[in-house]
């Protein structure tokens, strides 16, 4: 064999031996280095380093749930019509005046505290229901306010003391007396009228004033029939003093809702439905009510009440 072929064979053998040595060294490399590289690659590609399937969604962070609209009984068969007790916080003025109430309640409408109004009293077969959309049957000492003083439902829920020559009575405004009822006139329930005069009198002159009674219980909230998260009407029931404002919390802050003549505050676009509610009486006191779900036609108690004046 020529010498140049022997030289090439020896060189080839050296190359083969070198490759074998490199391969053997690679097999003995540190496994931890490969694992670290795998984790880095997984993170770069968006896969979870915890062994989840690539491309599967990562767990969402836990969030505190916010009040949301609950399904109605029709939407959720078998759902209870009894609402759970909501969480309620009452925000009151830093200072509460202990002076005698005057006619200067800052948010009052036509009916102001400390003012004596005069008119006549008539009566009808009242049941506690009417234009204010309260439930009938619960209170027999009620009255229907003339349209001028009713003031598009601002008088709803107000307590007034009515005085006549034969006696006096404190009653709650639950209805409107349109048409023939003049300013100052109140159409009383038959039971309330009987405390002023004999029913045969039919019509008696009266004076009346706004009052803030001691025994009224606490306020409740009701969403109107048909309310959802996209449209709702909200009513406050059992408030000691007349309401001046009802607001709902939205993403942009507090939003005041307009009051319909049938005594519901309306969110036509659903903004704030099912969120926190803030109500203000004519004296400027605010109550903030949290956790009131959208449960149509269900009275939800709150456990709070406006201060007496």
């Amino acid at each position: 064999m020529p010498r140049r072929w022997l030289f090439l064979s020896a060189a080839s053998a050296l190359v083969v031996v070198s490759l074998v040595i490199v391969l053997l060294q690679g097999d003995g490399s540190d496994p931890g280095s490969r694992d670290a590289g795998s984790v880095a690659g997984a993170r770069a590609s968006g896969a979870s380093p915890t062994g989840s399937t690539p491309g599967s969604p990562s767990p969402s962070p836990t969030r505190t749930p916010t009040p949301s609209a609950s399904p109605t009984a029709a939407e959720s068969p078998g759902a209870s019509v009894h609402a759970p007790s909501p969480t309620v916080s009452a925000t009151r003025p830093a200072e509460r005046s202990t002076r005698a109430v005057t006619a200067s309640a800052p948010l009052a409408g036509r009916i102001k505290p400390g003012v004596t109004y005069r008119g006549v009293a008539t009566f009808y077969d009242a049941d506690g229901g009417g234009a204010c959309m309260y439930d009938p049957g619960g209170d027999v000492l009620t009255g229907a306010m003339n349209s001028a003083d009713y003031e598009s439902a601002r008088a709803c829920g107000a307590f007034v003391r009515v005085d006549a020559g034969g006696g006096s009575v404190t009653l709650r405004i639950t209805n409107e007396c349109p048409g023939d009822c003049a300013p100052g006139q109140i159409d009383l329930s038959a039971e309330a009228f009987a405390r002023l005069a004999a029913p045969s009198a039919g019509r008696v002159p009266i004076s009346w004033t706004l009052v803030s009674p001691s025994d009224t219980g606490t306020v409740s909230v009701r969403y109107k029939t048909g309310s959802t998260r996209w449209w709702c009407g909200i009513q406050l029931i059992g408030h000691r003093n007349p309401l001046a404002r009802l607001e709902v919390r939205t993403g942009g802050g507090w939003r005041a809702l307009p009051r319909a003549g049938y005594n519901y505050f309306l969110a036509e676009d659903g903004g704030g439905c099912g969120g926190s509610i803030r109500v203000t009486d004519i004296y400027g006191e605010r109550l903030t009510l949290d956790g009131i779900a959208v449960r149509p036609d269900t009275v939800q108690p709150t456990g709070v009440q406006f201060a007496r004046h």
Side-chain angles (χ1 to χ4, degrees), residues 118-144:
R118 301 186 185 279
V120 296
T122 50
F123 69 94
Y124 71 112
D125 292 329
D127 59 4
C132 294
M133 300 291 286
Y134 297 132
D135 292 332
D139 188 1
V140 297
L141 300 179
T142 62

Side-chain angles (χ1 to χ4, degrees), residues 246-260:
L246 186 147
E247 302 164 281
V248 292
R249 185 183 289 280
T250 65
W254 289 105
R255 171 193 182 189
L257 299 183
R259 190 178 199 169

Side-chain angles (χ1 to χ4, degrees), residues 42 45-49 51-57:
S45 65
S48 170
S52 59
T53 302
S56 61

Side-chain angles (χ1 to χ4, degrees), residues 235-292:
Q235 180 187 60
L236 203 70
I237 304 170
H239 44 93
R240 173 181 277 127
N241 306 317
L243 290 182
R245 185 182 300 123
L246 186 147
E247 302 164 281
V248 292
R249 185 183 289 280
T250 65
W254 289 105
R255 171 193 182 189
L257 299 183
R259 190 178 199 169
Y262 52 86
N263 195 34
Y264 274 88
F265 294 84
L266 304 180
E268 298 281 0
D269 59 0
C273 295
S276 296
I277 300 171
R278 186 168 72 180
V279 290
T280 307
D281 70 4
I282 61 172
Y283 300 98
E285 182 179 11
R286 290 174 176 170
L287 302 177
T288 301
L289 315 174
D290 297 318
I292 307 294

Side-chain angles (χ1 to χ4, degrees), residues 163-232:
D163 293 283
S168 65
V169 61
T170 296
L171 54 86
R172 184 169 67 118
I173 301 303
T174 62
N175 203 356
E176 178 183 12
C177 179
D180 294 337
C181 282
Q185 182 175 349
I186 305 178
D187 203 16
L188 310 182
S189 64
E191 293 83 356
F193 188 90
R195 299 197 182 188
L196 302 178
S200 58
R203 182 184 182 94
V204 296
I206 59 170
S207 62
W208 55 272
T209 57
L210 182 68
V211 295
S212 181
S214 58
D215 186 15
T216 57
T218 58
V219 300
S220 298
V221 175
R222 174 163 55 194
Y223 274 92
K224 194 179 186 307
T225 302
S227 291
T228 66
R229 286 174 292 177
W230 298 276
W231 179 95
C232 67

